[in-house]
């Protein structure tokens, strides 16, 4: 399926889609986890979508990290992401109009970063790649989440 054409209100092609993806992933994780990332940005190239989220470790997770139990935090986060995977994939498919055939998630510590990787069944065609690149060139905020990232 082709990437849905998108133009944000300022007329920059592509930017709106990446920002909507970041915002929707942040919202989904925040609603289900109780705390979301502090920053998120999405990147798309050909048949990959990568959503990079910074911050958002819970107090309990930080306590475990401080006590050298990063393995337990990573195991819990992986289990959580496995449970959320179908919901995230469905939202990305709706937003992009493309079929996701594989999804992976990884949490990194120091700094705290969560990376969501979506692999599509087809490569974007040249016009889609140009449209996305045009939306990114000259705009360092393209793909940033517009969701409120204020956490309790």
């Amino acid at each position: 399926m082709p990437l849905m054409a998108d133009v944000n209100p300022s007329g920059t092609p592509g930017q709106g889609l990446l920002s909507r993806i970041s915002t929707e992933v942040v919202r989904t994780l925040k609603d289900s986890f109780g705390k979301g990332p502090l920053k998120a940005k999405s990147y798309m190239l050909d048949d990959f979508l990568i959503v990079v989220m910074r911050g958002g470790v819970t107090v309990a997770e930080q306590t475990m990290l401080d006590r050298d139990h990063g393995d337990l935090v990573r195991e819990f986060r992986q289990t959580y992401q496995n449970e959320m995977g179908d919901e995230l994939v469905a939202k990305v498919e709706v937003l992009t109009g493309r079929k996701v055939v594989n999804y992976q998630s990884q949490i990194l510590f120091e700094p705290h970063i969560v990376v969501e990787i979506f692999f599509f069944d087809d490569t974007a065609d040249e016009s889609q790649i140009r449209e996305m690149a045009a939306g990114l060139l000259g705009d360092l905020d393209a793909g940033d989440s517009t969701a409120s990232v204020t956490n309790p």
Side-chain angles (χ1 to χ4, degrees):
M1 284 185 191
L3 178 68
M4 295 187 317
D6 182 50
V7 178
N8 69 12
S10 68
T12 307
Q15 179 183 359
L17 175 61
L18 291 176
S19 293
R20 282 198 322 267
I21 290 169
S22 296
T23 298
E24 195 57 38
V25 170
V26 166
R27 182 179 296 124
T28 301
L29 295 178
K30 186 176 179 182
D31 288 349
S32 65
F33 198 62
K35 181 173 184 171
L38 302 175
K39 273 180 84 171
K41 188 165 187 167
S42 293
Y43 306 87
M44 190 180 300
L45 180 62
D46 297 332
D47 49 6
F48 284 97
L49 167 65
I50 301 169
V51 182
V52 179
M53 297 172 286
R54 298 175 186 275
V57 173
T58 66
V59 173
E61 288 174 323
Q62 188 60 56
T63 299
M64 295 301 285
L65 291 171
D66 292 344
R67 296 180 180 172
D68 294 324
H69 293 293
D71 54 334
L72 295 174
V73 173
R74 179 171 276 112
E75 182 180 342
F76 172 76
R77 281 286 184 123
Q78 189 61 57
T79 301
Y80 169 77
Q81 290 304 124
N82 289 345
E83 292 299 318
M84 294 303 300
D86 290 343
E87 187 173 343
L88 291 172
V89 165
K91 289 181 180 200
V92 166
E93 287 179 341
V94 167
L95 287 167
T96 63
R98 297 172 71 189
K99 173 80 173 141
V100 174
V101 294
N102 203 330
Y103 158 78
Q104 294 293 314
S105 179
Q106 183 63 47
I107 186 169
L108 310 172
F109 305 121
E110 301 303 324
H112 299 130
I113 297 173
V114 174
V115 180
E116 308 288 352
I117 303 169
F118 301 86
F119 182 74
F120 298 107
D121 69 345
D122 60 347
T123 300
D125 66 34
E126 187 174 337
S127 67
Q128 294 167 339
I129 294 169
R130 288 183 190 279
E131 180 180 340
M132 193 61 60
L136 297 175
L137 291 176
D139 186 351
L140 299 177
D141 294 328
D144 285 347
S145 172
T146 58
S148 170
V149 291
T150 305
N151 288 300

